[in-house]
Amino acid sequence: MAAMAIADLMVCIFNITVESIFRFHFTDSFLSYTYACRLSGFIQVVSSQLSVWFTVSFTIDRFIAICCHKLKSKYCTERTATVVITAQFVLSVLMHIPMYFRYDPNYIVDDILWGCRTVTGYVSSPEWTAYKWISSFSSPILPYPVMLLLNCLTVRHILVASRTRRALKSRSNGETSSDPEMKNRRTSIILLFAISGSFIVLTAPITIIHLSVGVTEIISFTGSNSLYLAIRITLLLMYSSSCINTCIYALTQRRFREEMQNMVKYPFIIILTLCR
């Protein structure tokens, strides 16, 4: 969850604050340098991919913890989580190195490169075409079936175990009393559907547009074009998806809610202590 939160924070900083706000309102800032523009674009792509795949990794971790008890003790450890997070970070960085070279400078003033424009061969070059389709497949097309399959298997396992537990309790007690374990399992089902549902609903529009643009090979459009407006809206939805998963996971945890309540109460406790 810490890795998910960091990746989501990177999306908020670079994709939203830096690109959509700071660069838009301060056109002559240091981001206008070609090298800074290239680096910013590279970090944005890496941040978005890490946000998606850290969520997928958490889904895999929950699936193993709930459905695969034999692998739980070996896989669901801090060491394994560190290895998975590091491997995903390295692979994402290596995979998106070509993004740094996607842009050429708009113009040169006193031997200083300014602005960023897409390289000429971005559409016609077979290398760039292959990279675009590989990047599109890795995120977010591939995460869709992975998350749906694992969540469905996890929910099925929870339902079967809950049905068996309910039958055993009714035989032993002769009545269906309140069961905290059943409540926890229902909460897990709701959580899994909330995560997969929000991810698919919020990222599907930009995926459809991205695939359509890739097929039609459209790379330029004016600010008044309806395609431009659609892309901006779907990007906003995608950025929301990058941030909402960590919030859902955190808010459903009892300890997190308790810490939030303590944080809210703490200033009032200090004031009451000083008054006394």
Side-chain angles (χ1 to χ4, degrees):
M1 286 188 64
M4 289 170 55
I6 293 173
D8 292 338
L9 181 61
M10 290 176 62
V11 172
C12 292
I13 293 175
F14 292 99
N15 296 56
I16 299 176
T17 304
V18 174
E19 178 65 20
S20 300
I21 299 178
F22 187 83
R23 188 179 176 185
F24 179 78
H25 291 284
F26 301 93
T27 54
D28 295 328
S29 66
F30 69 95
L31 291 175
S32 298
Y33 292 108
T34 301
Y35 294 114
C37 178
R38 287 174 173 173
L39 182 61
S40 176
F42 170 76
I43 295 176
Q44 290 174 41
V45 176
V46 172
S47 301
S48 299
Q49 176 138 2
L50 289 177
S51 177
V52 172
W53 278 103
F54 283 163
T55 303
V56 175
S57 299
F58 191 88
T59 304
I60 296 173
D61 181 85
R62 292 301 85 199
F63 168 76
I64 294 176
I66 296 174
C67 303
C68 307
H69 295 289
K70 293 182 179 180
L71 296 176
K72 180 179 178 180
S73 59
K74 297 181 180 180
Y75 181 82
C76 300
T77 61
E78 184 177 351
R79 180 178 179 276
T80 303
T82 303
V83 171
V84 171
I85 291 171
T86 304
Q88 286 183 337
F89 176 78
V90 173
L91 288 176
S92 182
V93 170
L94 293 177
M95 176 180 175
H96 293 293
I97 286 178
M99 280 298 299
Y100 183 83
F101 304 97
R102 173 184 171 179
Y103 302 101
D104 282 339
N106 280 329
Y107 50 89
I108 302 176
V109 178
D110 297 331
D111 295 330
I112 299 177
L113 307 180
W114 290 87
C116 284
R117 62 178 178 84
T118 303
V119 295
T120 306
Y122 186 70
V123 175
S124 57
S125 171
E127 292 81 7
W128 278 113
T129 302
Y131 169 76
K132 287 186 292 183
W133 284 108
I134 293 174
S135 178
S136 300
F137 179 77
S138 65
S139 176
I141 295 176
L142 182 59
Y144 287 154
V146 173
M147 293 187 68
L148 283 175
L149 176 62
L150 295 181
N151 285 339
C152 289
L153 291 176
T154 303
V155 170
R156 178 180 177 274
H157 179 86
I158 293 175
L159 291 176
V160 171
S162 299
R163 192 179 301 114
T164 304
R165 181 182 178 87
R166 190 182 300 111
L168 292 175
K169 284 184 67 66
S170 62
R171 289 179 182 178
S172 59
N173 299 335
E175 58 180 0
T176 56
S177 57
S178 178
D179 189 354
E181 181 64 22
M182 296 293 292
K183 292 182 179 180
N184 292 335
R185 291 177 179 179
R186 283 195 294 268
T187 302
S188 299
I189 294 176
I190 295 173
L191 178 62
L192 289 172
F193 276 114
I195 292 298
S196 58
S198 64
F199 175 79
I200 293 174
V201 170
L202 295 176
T203 59
I206 189 63
T207 304
I208 295 173
I209 291 180
H210 187 73
L211 292 175
S212 301
V213 172
V215 171
T216 56
E217 299 183 349
I218 300 176
I219 61 170
S220 62
F221 37 80
T222 61
S224 60
N225 196 300
S226 58
L227 176 61
Y228 175 83
L229 297 177
I231 289 177
R232 300 309 300 178
I233 293 173
T234 53
L235 279 175
L236 178 62
L237 294 176
M238 184 184 70
Y239 295 153
S240 300
S241 173
S242 299
C243 304
I244 196 173
N245 288 340
T246 301
C247 296
I248 294 176
Y249 280 124
L251 292 175
T252 53
Q253 304 301 314
R254 178 180 57 82
R255 184 175 178 182
F256 179 84
R257 294 196 300 268
E258 292 177 354
E259 293 295 332
M260 286 292 294
Q261 293 174 1
N262 294 334
M263 183 184 68
V264 174
K265 295 177 181 177
Y266 187 72
F268 298 99
I269 295 175
I270 295 178
I271 294 174
L272 292 175
T273 303
L274 294 176
C275 293
R276 293 176 182 175

